[in-house]
């Protein structure tokens, strides 16, 4: 009698193959799930705005900066904090004559400004060291202090708010602060106008007197005009910022690099900013490109001191007054 095949137990090799197939299916599904979770949880890399290119004209400006005019709005990097407009492009050295803390202006988030030019200095704390671009701005009409000027770090003006601006050059400063026109010549005073003299009577003819010929006197040469006297001064370890107007430090110009010798014409007393004191004197710089049109605080120069000399000499009194 043939045994019933349905009641016969399955062979062991078939069971092993069935279990192996199920295990492969479970492992593949688990691997797919892990791969999905890994891909889903992988951090997305967000590219930061390149503040080196933002607002810079040239062959390859930042593609998002396309405007060439209009106002821009500042944006704080910490919600609720104001944005600082500084007298110098950088944070260091603050508390000195050229960057006094008292001259920093704080404006509310979203304040409208007019971007004027850009320069490279140093990045604030918390930003990459090579992101060193600063913008010189003027508070726009409707802002808390319209016309107030200073530097703002480039990251505090969103790229969508920026306009393409030129570099901060001496010519750019003269466009912002043109020199005052020369005063017109004074009108003549009628009281000092000479009265024409009456004609004198015609004299009687007199016989001419014959004189012996005289030896010609040689002409005395005109002495040459002396050149304008200047005194050489050396800037200190932080250099010397320059300004068109020493009174209030208005119209910043090109900075004199550290340890640079320049010719100084004269000195002007302008103690309006605290850091120019205790003496309060400024030097008028004769060397190009300043060419007698810019001033620098006297205590930023060595004034004959050697490095490390104490107390420091704030003013070279051999420089004449302007």
């Amino acid at each position: 009698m043939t045994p019933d095949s349905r009641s016969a137990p399955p062979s062991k090799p078939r069971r092993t193959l069935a279990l192996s197939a199920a295990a492969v299916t479970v492992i593949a599904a688990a691997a797919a799930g892990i791969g999905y979770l890994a891909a889903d949880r992988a951090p997305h890399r967000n590219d930061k705005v390149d503040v080196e290119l933002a607002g810079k004209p040239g062959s390859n400006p930042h593609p998002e900066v396309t405007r060439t005019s209009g106002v821009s709005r500042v944006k704080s990097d910490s919600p609720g904090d104001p944005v600082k407009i500084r007298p110098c492009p950088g944070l260091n050295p603050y508390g000195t004559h050229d960057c006094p803390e008292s001259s920093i202006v704080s404006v509310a988030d979203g304040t409208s400004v007019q971007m004027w030019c850009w320069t490279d200095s140093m990045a604030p704390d918390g930003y990459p060291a090579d992101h060193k671009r600063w913008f010189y701005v003027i508070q726009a009409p409707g802002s808390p202090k319209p016309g107030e000027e200073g530097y703002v770090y480039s990251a505090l003006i969103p790229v969508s708010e920026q306009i393409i601006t030129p570099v901060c050059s001496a010519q750019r400063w003269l466009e912002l602060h043109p020199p005052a026109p020369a005063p017109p010549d004074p009108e003549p005073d009628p009281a000092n106008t000479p009265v024409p003299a009456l004609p004198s009577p015609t004299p009687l003819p007199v016989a001419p007197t014959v004189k012996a010929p005289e030896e010609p006197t040689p002409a005395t040469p005109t002495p040459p005009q002396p050149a304008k006297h200047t005194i050489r001064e050396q800037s200190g370890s932080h250099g010397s910022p320059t300004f068109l107007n020493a009174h209030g430090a208005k119209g910043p110009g090109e900075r004199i690099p550290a340890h640079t010798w320049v010719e100084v014409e004269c000195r002007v007393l302008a103690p309006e900013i605290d850091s120019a004191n205790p003496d309060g004197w400024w030097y008028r710089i004769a060397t190009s490109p300043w060419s007698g049109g810019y001033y620098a605080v006297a205590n930023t120069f060595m004034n004959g001191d050697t490095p490390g000399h104490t107390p420091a000499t704030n003013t070279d009194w051999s420089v004449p007054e302007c």
Side-chain angles (χ1 to χ4, degrees):
M1 180 175 176
T2 303
D4 189 353
S5 60
R6 289 176 295 178
S7 62
S11 63
K12 290 183 179 180
R14 290 182 180 178
R15 178 177 297 178
T16 302
L17 290 176
L19 291 175
S20 298
V24 170
T25 303
V26 172
I27 292 172
I34 293 172
Y36 173 80
L37 292 176
D40 184 61
R41 294 177 183 176
H44 294 283
R45 183 179 178 181
N46 295 324
D47 293 331
K48 294 184 178 180
V49 174
D50 188 351
V51 297
E52 285 298 295
L53 293 178
K56 180 178 180 181
S59 59
N60 187 27
H62 195 287
E64 297 182 35
V65 181
T66 57
R67 293 192 302 139
T68 58
S69 62
V71 298
S72 307
R73 288 175 296 179
V74 299
K75 183 173 181 59
S76 174
D77 53 2
S78 298
D81 289 348
V83 174
K84 293 182 178 180
I85 299 180
R86 304 175 179 272
C88 293
L91 309 182
N92 216 359
Y94 264 84
T96 59
H97 69 277
D98 51 337
C99 299
E101 288 283 352
S102 59
S103 60
I104 296 178
V105 177
S106 297
V107 297
D109 203 2
T111 297
S112 297
V113 297
Q114 173 66 56
M115 295 173 57
W116 186 252
C117 57
W118 62 266
T119 189
D120 289 339
S121 177
M122 60 184 69
D125 295 338
Y127 288 91
D130 58 341
H131 289 186
K132 52 189 177 180
R133 179 126 309 158
W134 292 74
F135 294 126
Y136 194 78
V137 301
I138 309 158
Q139 291 194 44
S143 61
K145 295 183 178 180
E148 193 79 24
E149 305 170 14
Y151 290 95
V152 172
Y153 185 55
S154 57
L156 303 183
I157 302 180
V159 174
S160 59
E161 292 287 335
Q162 295 179 17
I163 65 173
I164 298 175
T165 57
V167 67
C168 295
S169 62
Q171 178 60 36
R172 190 62 173 163
W173 296 128
L174 289 175
E175 293 173 6
L176 181 61
H177 297 285
D185 295 333
E187 295 291 334
D189 188 356
N192 296 330
T193 303
V195 179
L198 296 175
S200 58
T202 303
L204 296 175
V206 179
T209 302
V210 178
K211 294 183 178 181
E214 298 178 356
E215 291 294 331
T217 303
T220 304
T222 304
Q225 293 293 328
K228 183 181 293 186
H229 179 67
T230 59
I231 295 179
R232 297 187 75 218
E233 298 288 352
Q234 185 184 26
S235 61
S237 60
H238 297 300
S240 300
T242 64
F243 299 87
L244 281 170
N245 188 351
H247 297 281
K250 297 296 183 181
E254 292 189 31
R255 189 186 190 95
I256 301 173
H259 307 297
T260 299
W261 288 94
V262 295
E263 298 293 331
V264 170
E265 290 182 3
C266 54
R267 54 189 166 95
V268 172
L269 184 61
E272 286 82 0
I273 64 173
D274 294 339
S275 54
N277 293 294
D279 293 352
W281 290 99
W282 297 61
Y283 293 151
R284 187 161 69 198
I285 311 302
T287 304
S288 177
W290 303 278
S291 305
Y294 288 84
Y295 299 83
V297 175
N299 63 23
T300 62
F301 292 85
M302 299 299 292
N303 296 314
D305 291 347
T306 56
H309 179 273
T310 56
T313 302
N314 292 323
T315 304
D316 183 354
W317 301 108
S318 67
V319 177
E321 294 187 34
C322 296

